[in-house]
Amino acid sequence: MQGDAAGWPVGDALNHCGGAEVGDCDGPQGAALHRGFPFVDYVNRGEGEVSFTRLLACLRDASSPAGIPGLCWRDAGGTSHANAVSAAPLPASALVTPDCTDCFEQHAASRTGSMAEPHLLVESSRGCWWGQKHHCTFCGLNGSFMESRDKSQDRFVDELLVMTERYRVLNVAVADNILDMAYPRSAVPRLAEAECDLRISYEIKSNMRREQLVSLVAVGIHYVQPGIESLSGRVLKLMDKGVTGCQHHLAPPDGVTRIAIERFSPYFNRPELAFGDLRPGAQLRGHP
Ligand code: SF4
């Protein structure tokens, strides 16, 4: 770890950027991680696009990061500070298009590059339209913000076509928590016109109807990950999943755990639901 002219430490930063699975840096555990491990210079809690660019500006200008939402930082004396997390999620219009040039160049130059076909990772929405109404009781995704936010379909298709052409890749993995069914319908004409033969993967709600699944294939969505957490209607009701066991017409998963209590999930936050005696695992005792 080094220090800059104003005494703010410069070096590695840990960041959780919403949309993908919540890491270990969101909420109170992000602040605890920063307090407990002095070699971690910064932790960002919540979505990172705005905070990270503001942090870079602070480092460039040697100014204080005290006003950056969600950031944990140290003052010149080494004391850890945790700024309040932003009260509002980032609007979809503010989601930036990633620049994956370095990643694809490094993959091409790697000795193992020829053994693994690269996938382009893209994002069409953040949050979860179902969880916004019925938060599945086990789900800890979207720690800070559950609100569903979609990029406009035109923008997403533009991004998809530009990026797949730029990086010469046909395999596309969409990082969204859950597919918004309006997407395939409106994207069909433009993707069909482009004739680009993409192989797209998406996470979907498990009670999609046959004709809806057929419409996914029409836009190149060939791989789906449906949330099949149980085949018991009673258990699914307890989970607030909004599906019944008999609606699962797809093959069940081949690897399962009995249950995981995820931070930010209703099972974690509301002990009255079932699990009142939560405590850290033995391996975590003694840490902050
Ligand atoms: S499990 Fe899936 S559908 Fe349920 S709240 Fe989480 S992301 Fe949404």
Side-chain angles (χ1 to χ4, degrees):
M1 182 170 73
Q2 310 146 19
D4 69 2
W8 311 118
V10 180
D12 295 336
L14 293 179
N15 178 53
H16 161 64
C17 178
E21 189 158 348
V22 172
D24 293 333
C25 298
D26 209 355
Q29 57 197 351
L33 188 141
H34 188 254
R35 271 198 316 275
F37 297 96
F39 57 86
V40 176
D41 296 334
Y42 300 98
V43 170
N44 186 65
R45 299 169 305 148
E47 294 170 298
E49 283 95 337
V50 173
S51 298
F52 186 59
T53 46
R54 285 185 60 184
L55 172 62
L56 294 180
C58 280
L59 294 173
R60 182 199 59 206
D61 303 338
S63 57
S64 167
I68 301 178
L71 190 75
C72 304
W73 53 282
R74 284 177 223 291
D75 60 25
T79 303
S80 170
H81 299 269
N83 299 344
V85 177
S86 169
L90 207 58
S93 58
L95 304 180
V96 292
T97 304
D99 180 347
C100 308
T101 309
D102 287 353
C103 178
F104 280 93
E105 283 178 357
Q106 285 175 27
H107 178 273
S110 157
R111 271 197 229 162
T112 55
S114 59
M115 298 179 205
E117 219 178 320
H119 282 58
L120 178 69
L121 195 64
V122 295
E123 185 181 39
S124 64
S125 72
R126 284 205 188 153
C128 172
W129 57 266
W130 173 257
Q132 201 174 333
K133 297 178 287 189
H134 295 270
H135 192 168
C136 300
T137 50
F138 58 86
C139 177
L141 299 176
N142 301 301
S144 302
F145 300 113
M146 181 64 85
E147 288 94 321
S148 180
R149 294 150 278 158
D150 293 341
K151 286 180 183 170
S152 76
Q153 288 95 351
D154 272 345
R155 178 183 162 193
F156 179 60
V157 174
D158 284 345
E159 254 178 33
L160 201 56
L161 296 179
V162 167
M163 291 175 79
T164 49
E165 186 178 351
R166 179 183 301 154
Y167 302 121
R168 317 296 298 165
V169 63
L170 294 174
N171 295 317
V172 178
V174 184
D176 302 20
N177 288 167
I178 188 168
L179 171 69
D180 175 347
M181 275 312 298
Y183 257 79
R185 275 199 302 277
S186 49
V188 166
R190 291 199 53 209
L191 284 175
E193 197 180 295
E195 293 183 342
C196 46
D197 198 21
L198 299 179
R199 296 183 291 270
I200 304 172
S201 67
Y202 249 107
E203 297 193 26
I204 62 169
K205 202 154 188 302
S206 58
N207 57 346
M208 287 178 68
R209 294 188 302 278
R210 178 174 287 274
E211 62 272 19
Q212 290 176 312
L213 291 170
V214 169
S215 74
L216 300 189
V217 177
V219 289
I221 301 175
H222 292 288
Y223 305 97
V224 292
Q225 180 186 318
I228 301 176
E229 284 79 15
S230 173
L231 296 177
S232 156
R234 184 177 159 273
V235 172
L236 289 164
K237 193 167 178 200
L238 283 171
M239 290 175 170
D240 212 1
K241 274 297 290 184
V243 297
T244 61
C246 68
Q247 287 176 293
H248 292 317
H249 50 80
L250 301 167
D254 56 10
V256 293
T257 55
R258 289 183 68 189
I259 189 165
I261 309 297
E262 296 186 351
R263 190 181 281 270
F264 309 112
S265 70
Y267 277 151
F268 187 96
N269 292 329
R270 295 171 53 200
E272 74 276 14
L273 285 180
F275 303 98
D277 187 24
L278 293 179
R279 57 199 179 283
Q283 73 277 17
L284 297 174
R285 271 189 214 124
H287 287 283

